């Protein structure tokens, strides 16, 4: 006959019976902690940063940017550097080999006597720019859409991209067409089921300059809160490249429409150019945040393209401009009077507050040196020149747009670098 259990022995037995439940509970807690611990830390980190803790969790949670295949060199600013002469690899294509260049940009065809402006390569300080790989670019775009949105300068970058890629595509597998009364230009590569597109929207917002053909309006007006007017045409795009700057530069103030252009009594206010520009930037960022999937798409913004209309800015003569300029500006600190730092400051302030990751292509400083690269007088003239103009070529020189091939191919090399090696 077994002796009766003592009270202490009974308690031990009860604890032994509970231990499987305790073990299961503890195991579950450990499992959940391992599985979701990083998410808990991210949530807590968003509420209040932990002093002394490295701020790496949110970055890890987001993962790499879409289309990235590597990282740029540590500490390398690809937008800070110098121009070096390169007779071996420049230009990246010949003007005559790319039938997609508009006559406004074909400088050789229209009589430019020199080719020196084509022979320069951008060299970042302390690192190298990855070589533009057309095959990689086209394979990445397979089954996707890429769109440039903005003004004629962005159209130049769009054409440059096509010129960099089109030789790999058989003639019967590529086409270029315009739609929407000229506002949308679409280059298609059928073998790749891809399109590279340009959409005319010089302010990004709705404006009285939205006609892609007739838009030379001095009294420019933008409509507040109207980005969806154009934005509906950007949906479904995988890589978006925005620009907007030159059209805002009408003076110190900008006219902003409240309401609709169809309203009989229009309410128009005047605000500073910087305030209006900031309004446009915030609208663009909001649109991107609501319509672009950060895991699958990328958005770029190209900074302001400088002009070279005042020779006195670089030590030239009064009345001198980009006409007949065959050398670049060598002063590394040069900043033209037409490139408004106040606008660059607006971009910095707005982008720094953005919750959507837009990649900034800072082409302003490197382009500031290139007074030699404009189309100048070597382009198609849409109106007959007067005897006075013919006697003074500087009077009708285009110091805004750039010859192709040329500077804007470098912009696309920078875009390539930031797309694949951010």
């Amino acid at each position: 006959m077994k002796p009766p259990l003592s009270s202490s022995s009974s308690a031990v037995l009860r604890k032994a019976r509970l231990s499987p439940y305790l073990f299961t509970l503890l195991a579950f807690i450990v499992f959940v902690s391992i599985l979701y611990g990083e998410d808990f830390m991210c949530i807590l980190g968003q509420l209040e940063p932990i002093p002394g803790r490295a701020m790496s969790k949110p970055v890890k949670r987001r993962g790499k940017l879409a289309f990235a295949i590597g990282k740029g060199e540590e500490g390398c600013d690809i937008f800070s550097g110098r121009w070096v002469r390169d007779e071996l690899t420049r230009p990246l294509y010949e003007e005559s080999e790319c039938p997609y260049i508009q006559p406004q940009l074909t400088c050789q065809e229209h009589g430019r006597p020199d080719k020196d402006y084509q022979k320069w390569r951008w060299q970042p300080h302390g690192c190298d720019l990855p070589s533009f790989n057309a095959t990689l670019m086209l394979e990445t775009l397979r089954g996707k859409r890429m769109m440039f949105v903005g003004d004629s300068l962005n159209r130049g970058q769009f054409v440059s991209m096509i010129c960099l890629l089109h030789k790999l595509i058989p003639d019967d597998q590529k086409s270029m067409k315009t739609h929407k009364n000229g506002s949308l230009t679409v280059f298609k590569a059928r073998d790749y089921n891809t399109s590279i597109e340009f959409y005319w929207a010089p302010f990004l917002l709705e404006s009285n300059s939205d006609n892609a053909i007739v838009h030379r309006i001095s009294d420019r007006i933008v409509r507040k809160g109207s980005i969806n007017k154009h934005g509906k045409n950007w949906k479904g795009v995988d890589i978006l490249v925005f620009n907007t700057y030159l059209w805002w530069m009408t003076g110190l103030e900008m006219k902003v429409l409240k309401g609709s252009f169809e309203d009989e009594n229009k309410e128009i206010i005047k605000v500073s150019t910087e305030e209006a520009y900031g309004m446009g930037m915030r609208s663009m960022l909001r649109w991107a945040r609501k319509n672009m999937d950060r895991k699958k798409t990328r958005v770029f913004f190209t900074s302001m393209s400088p002009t070279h209309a005042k020779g006195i800015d670089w030590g030239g003569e009064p009345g001198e401009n980009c006409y007949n300029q065959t050398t670049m500006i060598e002063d590394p600190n040069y900043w033209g009077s037409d490139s408004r730092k106040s606008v660059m400051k607006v971009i910095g302030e707005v982008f720094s507050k953005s919750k959507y990751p837009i990649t900034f292509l800072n082409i302003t400083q490197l382009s500031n040196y290139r007074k030699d690269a404009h189309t100048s007088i070597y382009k198609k003239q849409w109106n007959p020149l007067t005897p006075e103009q013919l006697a003074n070529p500087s009077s009708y020189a285009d110091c805004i747009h750039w010859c192709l091939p040329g500077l804007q191919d470098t912009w696309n090399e920078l875009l390539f670098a930031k797309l694949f090696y951010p």
Side-chain angles (χ1 to χ4, degrees):
M1 184 175 179
K2 292 182 179 179
L5 291 170
S6 66
S7 60
S8 61
S9 297
S10 180
V12 169
L13 187 58
R14 283 197 301 272
K15 289 179 181 178
R17 286 196 196 101
L18 290 172
S19 62
Y21 302 104
L22 288 170
F23 177 79
T24 302
L25 178 62
L26 289 170
F28 178 74
I29 292 172
V30 170
F31 175 75
V32 171
S33 298
I34 294 172
L35 189 62
Y36 297 107
E38 186 174 336
D39 289 337
F40 292 151
M41 290 307 299
C42 284
I43 293 170
L44 291 171
Q46 287 175 354
L47 295 174
E48 185 176 356
I50 301 172
R53 189 180 188 90
M55 299 296 288
S56 59
K57 291 293 182 183
V59 175
K60 185 177 180 180
R61 179 184 58 156
R62 288 177 184 170
K64 71 177 184 179
L65 292 170
F67 305 107
I69 61 174
K71 293 182 179 179
E73 293 183 43
E74 191 71 28
C76 172
D77 178 3
I78 61 173
F79 304 111
S80 177
R82 68 189 191 282
W83 289 99
V84 297
R85 192 165 179 83
D86 185 344
E87 300 273 358
L88 295 177
T89 68
R90 306 291 132 151
L92 296 174
Y93 56 88
E94 293 293 337
E95 179 185 300
S96 59
E97 296 173 348
C98 187
Y100 304 102
I101 308 176
Q102 310 105 296
Q104 301 96 303
L105 308 178
T106 49
C107 298
Q108 292 297 308
E109 180 184 349
H110 288 90
R112 179 157 181 169
D114 70 303
K115 286 189 175 182
D116 284 354
Y117 65 94
Q118 299 179 356
K119 304 294 179 67
W120 296 96
R121 173 174 54 82
W122 181 248
Q123 177 63 56
H125 293 309
C127 57
D128 291 318
L129 204 57
S131 298
F132 188 92
N133 186 324
T135 302
L136 172 60
M137 192 74 191
L138 275 172
E139 287 298 337
T140 300
L141 289 174
R142 187 179 290 276
K144 294 180 170 58
R145 294 172 65 197
M146 181 181 197
M147 181 182 282
F148 293 79
V149 177
D151 58 23
S152 56
L153 289 158
N154 224 22
R155 180 163 50 206
Q157 189 174 355
F158 153 75
V159 172
S160 163
M161 179 62 75
I162 295 172
C163 292
L164 291 166
L165 299 176
H166 86 98
K167 283 198 295 184
L168 296 182
I169 307 165
D171 288 343
D172 62 347
Q173 293 297 315
K174 57 191 174 187
S175 64
M176 178 112 94
K177 294 182 180 179
T178 58
H179 309 271
K180 299 183 182 295
N181 297 318
S183 291
L184 179 64
T185 304
V186 180
F187 174 85
K188 285 191 175 182
R190 284 185 288 278
D191 273 353
Y192 292 88
N193 187 30
T194 188
S195 65
I196 303 171
E197 308 171 33
F198 169 74
Y199 185 88
W200 171 265
F203 292 97
L204 305 184
L205 303 176
E206 183 183 5
S207 76
N208 62 348
S209 303
D210 287 344
N211 188 307
I213 300 171
V214 182
H215 48 247
R216 293 190 177 183
I217 299 171
S218 57
D219 189 23
R220 297 169 186 169
I221 304 170
V222 295
R223 180 183 162 215
K224 184 177 182 180
S226 61
I227 198 163
N228 288 327
K229 169 76 184 317
H230 297 306
K232 62 187 178 184
N233 298 287
W234 314 334
K235 291 184 178 182
V237 171
D238 301 281
I239 301 172
L240 262 177
V241 185
F242 288 113
N243 95 312
T244 183
Y245 167 70
L246 192 65
W247 285 72
W248 299 86
M249 299 299 112
T250 58
L252 299 177
E253 291 184 323
M254 188 77 200
K255 289 184 177 180
V256 177
L257 170 68
K258 292 184 175 182
S260 170
F261 279 104
E262 281 70 46
D263 292 342
E264 187 174 344
N265 296 314
K266 297 178 178 62
E267 183 183 357
I268 298 174
I269 61 173
K270 286 185 178 182
V271 300
S272 70
T273 299
E274 287 75 13
E275 183 180 345
Y277 191 78
M279 175 187 71
M281 291 295 96
R282 286 187 292 272
S283 293
M284 178 191 71
L285 291 170
R286 280 194 299 269
W287 186 93
R289 190 175 68 248
K290 292 178 180 178
N291 294 281
M292 302 295 285
D293 184 346
R294 69 172 65 198
K295 295 179 181 178
K296 299 179 180 179
T297 64
R298 289 285 294 279
V299 180
F300 295 83
F301 183 81
T302 304
S303 68
M304 55 193 185
S305 175
T307 67
H308 293 88
K310 301 175 183 176
I312 55 174
D313 285 350
W314 61 80
E317 297 296 325
E320 187 179 3
N321 58 19
C322 69
Y323 170 67
N324 214 23
Q325 299 294 329
T326 58
T327 60
M328 67 179 68
I329 297 167
E330 296 183 358
D331 178 4
N333 300 313
Y334 173 78
W335 188 274
S337 62
D338 61 337
S339 300
R340 287 168 63 167
K341 291 186 177 181
S342 58
V343 173
M344 290 287 276
K345 184 179 179 182
V346 170
I347 296 173
E349 290 173 349
V350 173
F351 277 37
S352 67
K353 297 174 183 176
S354 172
K355 295 180 181 179
Y356 185 88
I358 287 191
T359 303
F360 186 60
L361 298 177
N362 188 4
I363 57 89
T364 305
Q365 186 65 64
L366 63 93
S367 303
N368 254 321
Y369 306 130
R370 298 303 307 274
K371 63 180 171 67
D372 61 313
H374 289 287
T375 54
S376 184
I377 66 170
Y378 305 108
K379 55 179 284 185
K380 180 175 181 177
Q381 305 295 334
W382 297 103
N383 298 306
L385 297 172
T386 66
E388 291 77 17
Q389 288 175 315
L390 291 170
N392 180 19
S394 294
S395 65
Y396 66 96
D398 181 347
C399 299
I400 296 174
H401 300 97
W402 310 94
C403 299
L404 286 180
L407 173 66
Q408 290 189 296
D409 302 319
T410 297
W411 297 4
N412 279 322
E413 288 182 287
L414 295 165
L415 170 60
F416 176 91
K418 285 296 183 179
L419 179 64
F420 295 112
Y421 307 99

